[in-house]
Amino acid sequence: MNERSSSLRHLIGIKSLTREELLSFVNEAETFVEVSERSIKKVPALRGKTILNVFLEPSTRTRVSFEIAGKRLSADTINISGSGSSLSKGETLLDTARTLQAMRPDILVIRHGSSAAPQFLAERLRQTSIVNAGDGMNEHPTQCLLDLLALQCESGAPLEKLSGMTVAIVGDIRHSRVARSHIWAHRLLGNTVRLIGPPGLVPRELADEQCFGKHVEIHHHLESGLKGADFVIVLRVQKERQKESFISSFDEYSRFYGISSEKLQQWCPDAFLLHPGPANRGIEITGELLYATRSLVEKQVRYGVAVRMAVLFRFGSVRHHFEDDESEEASSADGIIGGEIEA
Ligand code: CP
C-alpha cells in the first residue's frame, strides 16, 4: 500500500483514486473472498468497531452486502433508513450525520439520491470515514470495484494486465452512477469504454474531452457497440428517473437495445456479461440470460461481499483524529469500565 492509500480517509468515488489505489482495493478484496466460503464466516478484524449503514434510497444488494461484510469482520453494524429516522421529520442530512457521529461510529456508509451527498459529508465530518454506497447519478464505487473483482477472478488475468480491453456499457447511461464509476476506472486501467444506447440515454457530450474524454466512444447502434467487446455491462433502464421522455417506449428500447444470448453470440461471443442489478427482465436483458453460463450476475453479488469487507477493513483500521479528544476522561473511566474486551 502506498503512502496515499494508507492516508485515504473516505471512499467517495473512483474518480478520486489513483490507479494503485484502485488496484489495491481489488487485490485486497480478493483476499477476503474465501472468508465467505468458510463454515464459520467471521474474522475478528473489526471487533469493537461500529459501522452505520445509512440508506436513503432503496437497495437490496448493496445494503445487505455492506451489513454482511461488517458482520463477517465482527464489527457492530447498524442500519438506518430515511423513513425510520428523523430525516422524515425534516432533520437535515448534516444534522443527522453530526448526531450519528457524536455516537462515535468508525464508518458511515451512505446511499443518497443526491449526487455529491457523500462528498458533502466527508468535507464536514472529521471523525468518521464516509463510504459512498451510490449517490444520485454520480458514482457507485463499490459496485465498480466488485465488477472489476469479478472480471479479475473469472477471467483469470490480473486487473493490471487487463489493459487495452473494450468494455461495452449498454443502457441508461444518462442516469447511471455505475457507468460513471466504470468510466473513471477504465481510464485508469487503459481500457476503451463504449457507451451504447439511444441518444436520449447516451448524451454525445459524455465523450467530450472536458467530460470523460478520449477513451470513451458513443454508439447508438447496438451492433457497432458490441462488436468485439471483451466485457458487456448491461444497465437497468431506470424507470423511476424517466420523467422526461428519454426513450420512446420500453418495447422499442427492448427491440433495439435489449440484450439476448443471440445478440451476444453474434457480435461478441467471448465477452463476459455483467449487470449490477436489479434487472428489468424483458427490457434491457432477457430473463434467461441473467443466469446463463456466460453471465456473472450472481458472481458479482458474491464478490460484492468481499469488496465491501476490504473497503470496511481499510477504513475501520484508520485512526481518526478527534477534535474534541476525550482521552483524559476516557482514561479516568477506565477503572470503572475496564480495558478492552478479550476474545
Ligand atoms: N447494484 C445495486 O446497487 O443494487 P441495489 O440497488 O439492490 O443495492
Side-chain angles (χ1 to χ4, degrees):
M1 200 186 303
N2 66 27
E3 200 177 313
R4 202 175 107 88
S5 289
S6 61
S7 66
L8 201 63
R9 289 272 311 274
H10 311 281
L11 179 60
I12 303 302
I14 303 294
K15 183 182 181 182
S16 55
L17 298 182
T18 63
R19 178 183 156 87
E20 288 66 36
E21 286 165 345
L22 177 76
L23 293 173
S24 78
F25 271 119
V26 175
N27 290 330
E28 281 165 29
E30 191 167 356
T31 68
F32 282 101
V33 173
E34 61 89 17
V35 175
S36 296
E37 304 306 317
R38 298 178 188 174
S39 60
I40 309 279
K41 304 173 184 60
K42 212 171 182 73
V43 292
L46 291 188
R47 195 173 45 183
K49 301 289 179 179
T50 306
I51 299 167
L52 301 181
N53 294 321
V54 181
F55 276 71
L56 306 180
E57 271 196 330
S59 167
T60 298
R61 293 150 198 77
T62 316
R63 183 175 53 81
V64 175
S65 179
F66 266 112
E67 185 177 359
I68 286 179
K71 287 187 156 74
R72 288 190 181 161
L73 292 168
S74 303
D76 296 310
T77 58
I78 291 100
N79 296 328
I80 298 162
S81 66
S83 60
S85 75
S86 290
L87 283 158
S88 64
K89 298 184 217 164
E91 187 168 51
T92 67
L93 177 65
L94 184 56
D95 286 342
T96 297
R98 288 187 67 145
T99 300
L100 295 173
Q101 180 178 248
M103 300 181 212
R104 296 288 193 257
D106 298 281
I107 304 172
L108 192 155
V109 177
I110 181 160
R111 168 167 289 193
H112 200 286
S114 297
S115 303
Q119 177 73 38
F120 174 80
L121 293 184
E123 286 166 3
R124 286 162 182 82
L125 300 188
R126 295 183 50 83
Q127 303 160 14
T128 309
S129 287
I130 303 295
V131 174
N132 182 359
D135 62 329
M137 300 189 293
N138 181 39
E139 284 222 39
H140 194 347
T142 57
Q143 178 69 48
C144 175
L145 292 172
L146 74 88
D147 292 345
L148 296 177
L149 178 61
L151 292 176
Q152 170 161 291
C153 293
E154 298 304 317
S155 71
L159 206 53
E160 51 260 62
K161 300 247 167 74
L162 284 177
S163 64
M165 298 282 150
T166 298
V167 182
I169 308 182
V170 192
D172 188 352
I173 314 289
R174 178 185 285 277
H175 300 107
S176 176
R177 49 199 176 206
V178 177
R180 282 166 179 76
S181 288
H182 269 284
I183 291 168
W184 296 122
H186 291 290
R187 180 147 97 171
L188 293 173
L189 296 170
N191 296 325
T192 298
V193 176
R194 294 183 188 159
L195 303 178
I196 310 166
L201 296 183
V202 187
R204 280 237 157 247
E205 54 272 21
L206 291 178
D208 290 350
E209 194 55 50
Q210 60 272 32
C211 194
F212 292 120
K214 278 198 292 232
H215 76 301
V216 170
E217 297 173 6
I218 306 288
H219 291 259
H220 296 310
H221 293 282
L222 190 61
E223 179 177 351
S224 72
L226 287 188
K227 254 189 179 162
D230 298 292
F231 313 121
V232 178
I233 302 172
V234 183
L235 298 176
R236 182 172 71 92
V237 175
Q238 300 192 28
K239 291 177 179 170
E240 70 278 21
R241 299 194 220 263
Q242 306 292 333
K243 295 192 176 65
E244 296 171 48
S245 23
F246 294 116
I247 53 176
S248 45
S249 76
F250 292 120
D251 273 354
E252 197 169 87
Y253 178 88
S254 170
R255 207 147 28 95
F256 286 99
Y257 298 102
I259 302 295
S260 64
S261 294
E262 293 73 32
K263 289 176 186 172
L264 291 182
Q265 195 55 39
Q266 193 177 354
W267 296 321
C268 49
D270 300 320
F272 286 99
L273 174 79
L274 299 96
H275 190 310
N280 296 305
R281 284 166 167 263
I283 297 182
E284 75 265 5
I285 191 165
T286 58
E288 54 79 28
L289 187 53
L290 270 178
Y291 301 109
T293 324
R294 64 187 305 148
S295 161
L296 299 185
V297 167
E298 284 182 300
K299 290 185 171 128
Q300 287 171 267
V301 177
R302 176 171 159 249
Y303 290 121
V305 174
V307 159
R308 275 118 194 179
M309 286 175 83
V311 168
L312 295 176
F313 179 66
R314 171 83 66 96
F315 296 114
S317 312
V318 168
R319 190 172 163 73
H320 297 291
H321 300 286
F322 291 93
E323 281 178 307
D324 51 345
D325 197 338
E326 293 165 354
S327 53
E328 274 191 28
E329 287 170 41
S331 63
S332 65
D334 269 357
I336 306 164
I337 300 169
E340 289 182 16
I341 296 171
E342 293 300 318

